[in-house]
Amino acid sequence: MLETIKHVPIDYYVWLSTVLFVIGVFGVLVRRNAIVVLMCVELMLNAVNLMLAAFSTYLNDAQGQIMVFFIMVVAAAEAAVGLGILVMIYRNTKSTDVSLLDKLRN
């Protein structure tokens, strides 16, 4: 498995993770549905995971893989807390549109 990963040039991993991260940023900035925004945040975290795993494999260093593990834990916690907040927002507003959240100020 490691030999298969090392046969693919590191540039391909960098470009793929960059494209995934940009798609995630674009989704967070443009979309109004809170569920889609959460999915785009997950996409950005997975893009970073891909980059860390690729460099960790190429450099034969386990620190990147340990960071991937911590990022996956943070992503799971973020999803649980975010979905809990979304359920409460949906119960109060009957919508998941993030533009409605500015009414929570006062």
Side-chain angles (χ1 to χ4, degrees):
M1 180 74 178
L2 291 177
E3 296 301 320
T4 305
I5 293 173
K6 287 186 177 182
H7 285 291
V8 178
I10 191 76
D11 296 343
Y12 292 177
Y13 291 109
V14 172
W15 280 108
L16 178 62
S17 63
T18 302
V19 168
L20 291 174
F21 193 84
V22 168
I23 290 171
V25 168
F26 183 75
V28 167
L29 294 176
V30 172
R31 299 302 300 252
R32 295 188 179 266
N33 188 337
I35 295 172
V36 175
V37 170
L38 280 178
M39 290 188 328
C40 290
V41 170
E42 295 288 332
L43 186 63
M44 288 190 293
L45 290 173
N46 283 325
V48 171
N49 282 343
L50 176 64
M51 180 88 74
L52 285 172
F55 276 108
S56 175
T57 302
Y58 274 92
L59 298 175
N60 290 329
D61 189 11
Q63 290 181 352
Q65 295 173 3
I66 293 170
M67 286 298 297
V68 167
F69 176 73
F70 284 117
I71 289 173
M72 289 173 69
V73 169
V74 169
E78 173 257 335
V81 172
L83 288 176
I85 292 171
L86 279 179
V87 168
M88 291 306 297
I89 290 171
Y90 183 77
R91 284 183 183 172
N92 290 326
T93 62
K94 301 296 181 202
S95 175
T96 57
D97 189 1
V98 291
S99 64
L100 297 175
L101 298 180
D102 61 349
K103 294 179 181 176
L104 298 175
R105 284 190 177 165
N106 296 324

